[in-house]
Amino acid sequence: MHTSILLFRNFRYLKISVAILAVSIIAYAIHDPLGKPNGGTWLGYTLGGLAAFLIVWLAWFGVRKRQYGVGKLLLEDWASAHVYLGLSLLVIATLHSGFQFGINIHTLAYALMVLVIGSGAFGLYAYMRYPRLRSVKRGEGSLGDVWELVAGMSRDCYEIARDLPDEVYGLVEAADKKTRIGGSMWRQLSGTNPNCASTNALDQVRDLAEGYSGREADAARRLVTVLARKVELLTRIRKDIQYKALMDIWLYFHIPLSVALLGALAIHIISVFLYW
Ligand code: HEM
Ligand code: HEM
């Protein structure tokens, strides 16, 4: 997935979607059914069939994604078409229903479809917004380097704290040993850690430094500078982890909702053929 899937092949899939939408809307406008427009007219069946076909095809993307090198289309074709044709469903399915919604299985299928599309839009946004993270996720990036940087800062803190009172050394030690990154899903999603040992150490060393003078004051100032940089880096890492957690979590909505949609759709279609 790249930002470019939206522009892929010079917007080919956007153009295809717009063409399908134009034909659907014109057909709906000139269609003059006996009663109110609804899913049971010839146009209703056509648009419903088209929407159902698209939904099954979009869901097939999950399978297709895992079969690299099969077929003529690139994965980017699938992704680009997935996004544009997925969005076009909002219009196609709405025209199919003739704007007749109620508390029934048909409208449940419709609502699930809207949720799948909404979660898809969120996922797409996340993918495009955090490209750097994507490369880190693929192992090309430098999460390792960032850890090395944190470890280096901890070493610098120890070095400086050797000339300072035990109290400060203890804080530096706690900042090194007790600083936690990641944790539970909620902690990751929050993107912060209110009990961060490094932030704690920074605040306390800053307070203590006010009582020092001479060489100790100099050392404490340097320590505060390094600790502040470390806290800044930790804050950035936690933000990155938050974005990664967001990117992981949306698929937990998109896929199960897709499955629920396929189920509701099957019941919708079977029930209209049984009762209509
Ligand atoms: C092969 C595919 C489909 C067929 C044959 C089909 C058939 C029908 C029929 C016959 C009706 C009229 C029912 C009535 O007036 O009581 C209807 C209504 C409706 N359909 Fe479909 N449909 C299909 C696909 C879809 C899809 C993909 C969606 C959306 C996810 C959908 C959502 C609705 C909604 C919301 C209504 C309006 C229900 C109401 O009148 O309260 N249908 N459909
Ligand atoms: C009813 C419509 C849709 C269905 C049934 C559907 C279904 C799916 C499925 C089954 C996957 C594969 C997930 C996996 O196995 O990893 C997927 C991926 C995805 N979908 Fe959808 N989707 C729909 C609409 C949309 C829309 C409208 C968007 C964006 C606006 C979207 C964005 C995405 C993205 C970004 C991925 C991830 C691709 C990747 O991980 O490489 N989807 N979708």
Side-chain angles (χ1 to χ4, degrees):
M1 293 284 300
H2 302 284
T3 312
S4 68
I5 67 156
L6 290 183
L7 336 166
F8 196 67
R9 291 202 202 285
N10 205 7
F11 296 105
R12 175 191 287 178
Y13 296 99
L14 173 62
K15 290 174 190 161
I16 294 177
S17 301
V18 170
I20 295 176
L21 288 184
V23 172
S24 306
I25 291 170
I26 292 169
Y28 188 85
I30 57 181
H31 180 51
D32 190 15
L34 281 177
K36 280 196 202 146
N38 70 75
T41 65
W42 70 262
L43 183 63
Y45 272 103
T46 309
L47 292 174
L50 175 62
F53 170 80
L54 283 177
I55 288 173
V56 172
W57 186 79
L58 291 166
W60 179 249
F61 182 52
V63 180
R64 179 59 186 77
K65 248 181 76 177
R66 291 168 180 79
Q67 305 172 321
Y68 293 96
V70 180
K72 271 193 243 135
L73 293 179
L74 297 176
L75 212 52
E76 280 87 348
D77 280 293
W78 282 78
S80 189
H82 188 90
V83 168
Y84 287 122
L85 292 171
L87 288 172
S88 74
L89 272 170
L90 281 175
V91 177
I92 300 171
T94 307
L95 294 181
H96 158 69
S97 74
F99 298 89
Q100 306 215 25
F101 300 106
I103 300 185
N104 50 38
I105 181 75
H106 324 309
T107 303
L108 176 66
Y110 184 88
L112 285 168
M113 184 194 76
V114 173
L115 289 177
V116 172
I117 295 174
S119 62
F122 174 83
L124 177 68
Y125 171 77
Y127 273 111
M128 297 198 330
R129 181 87 168 65
Y130 313 115
R132 194 172 61 79
L133 246 148
R134 240 180 13 231
S135 58
V136 170
K137 212 171 137 192
R138 282 204 216 102
E140 301 159 8
S142 51
L143 208 53
D145 299 351
V146 177
W147 287 122
E148 196 42 53
L149 221 60
V150 175
M153 287 175 178
S154 289
R155 278 195 300 274
D156 291 351
C157 289
Y158 276 123
E159 192 76 27
I160 304 171
R162 273 209 311 238
D163 302 333
L164 286 162
D166 287 351
E167 198 178 4
V168 175
Y169 195 88
L171 287 169
V172 166
E173 203 168 19
D176 180 40
K177 302 227 160 86
K178 296 204 178 125
T179 296
R180 297 276 174 272
I181 289 276
S184 69
M185 198 49 161
W186 291 120
R187 173 76 27 256
Q188 293 188 28
L189 280 173
S190 80
T192 57
N193 187 340
N195 301 315
C196 172
S198 294
T199 312
N200 238 344
L202 173 62
D203 293 344
Q204 293 194 41
V205 173
R206 216 179 240 146
D207 287 348
L208 288 169
E210 287 177 11
Y212 297 155
S213 57
R215 273 186 46 198
E216 276 193 344
D218 277 350
R221 247 195 313 277
R222 273 188 295 135
L223 182 57
V224 166
T225 311
V226 179
L227 274 174
R229 276 182 32 224
K230 185 179 166 194
V231 166
E232 197 187 299
L233 186 62
L234 289 170
T235 307
R236 256 183 37 216
I237 297 175
R238 291 198 175 107
K239 266 257 143 337
D240 276 8
I241 289 179
Q242 178 187 33
Y243 295 143
K244 185 182 170 306
L246 277 175
M247 290 200 352
D248 288 343
I249 212 166
W250 79 273
L251 270 178
Y252 287 102
F253 289 93
H254 198 61
I255 298 177
L257 283 169
S258 297
V259 174
L261 166 60
L262 290 175
L265 189 58
I267 299 175
H268 166 57
I269 295 171
I270 292 169
S271 72
V272 294
F273 280 125
L274 284 183
Y275 296 112
W276 224 67

